Amino acid sequence: MEARLVLEAPLARYACLNRTDGFLDALRANVADMRNLAMSSERGHHSQYREIDERFHDLIAQQADNPFLFRAYKSLEAHVQRFRLFGAMGASDMEHALHEHGLIIDAFAAADPELVYSQMCKHIEQVRVRSVRDREQINSG
């Protein structure tokens, strides 16, 4: 998670400096997709959740318009690592992600790069906390 923090928070700051209405619309549409999935009665949709979550972060990384940081970010496979847990746990943090992604979008809408940076840091830290908790539940179960 430390590598995600080192790369994704600055990428988010740069994305804010390059933000467009189309970018904000794409982020909002992504959160709507996640919300629709969360309200779905379909079970076992963790792979769809992973794809939607990864797309959210990819949109931000691409909007930063820094090909060097983007390649470093893509090399992390951060989402793959996180979502390996979901085979056993299910998409346990979708509601948290919806809330946190919403706060990130609000910061982008406010055109505040430092707030975007801070919200991304908080989000990644909360993902880390949930990952540790989920891993402990798997190991104790």
Side-chain angles (χ1 to χ4, degrees):
M1 289 297 166
E2 289 81 13
R4 281 191 68 187
L5 193 60
V6 166
L7 290 170
E8 287 193 67
L11 281 166
R13 180 188 288 139
Y14 294 138
C16 188
L17 296 172
N18 296 324
R19 76 189 238 312
T20 63
D21 289 341
F23 168 67
L24 288 172
D25 290 344
L27 290 177
R28 289 179 180 125
N30 175 275
V31 167
D33 289 346
M34 188 181 288
R35 186 170 292 111
N36 289 337
L37 185 63
M39 294 186 321
S40 166
S41 61
E42 180 182 330
R43 303 301 290 166
H45 51 254
H46 64 273
S47 66
Q48 292 170 290
Y49 170 47
R50 180 191 58 77
E51 290 169 9
I52 294 169
D53 184 71
E54 186 174 353
R55 188 173 46 220
F56 179 86
H57 290 270
D58 283 356
L59 285 165
I60 293 169
Q62 290 167 350
Q63 191 68 27
D65 196 28
N66 185 315
F68 302 107
L69 287 178
F70 183 75
R71 279 195 301 273
Y73 156 77
K74 289 303 282 183
S75 74
L76 290 178
E77 297 187 22
H79 301 291
V80 172
Q81 294 169 15
R82 168 77 176 123
F83 286 95
R84 283 184 185 137
L85 293 173
F86 289 159
M89 295 298 296
S92 64
D93 73 346
M94 195 180 314
E95 290 297 324
H96 297 288
L98 278 166
H99 175 73
E100 292 161 11
H101 287 189
L103 293 174
I104 292 167
I105 292 171
D106 290 346
F108 276 116
D112 185 338
E114 297 313 310
L115 182 58
V116 169
Y117 181 93
S118 174
Q119 290 298 343
M120 184 60 78
C121 288
K122 290 176 185 176
H123 171 53
I124 293 169
E125 175 57 20
Q126 289 306 305
V127 169
R128 186 195 67 74
V129 167
R130 290 190 296 272
S131 295
V132 168
R133 181 201 63 219
D134 289 352
R135 176 57 61 198
E136 289 171 352
Q137 286 179 352
I138 289 169
N139 291 339
S140 68

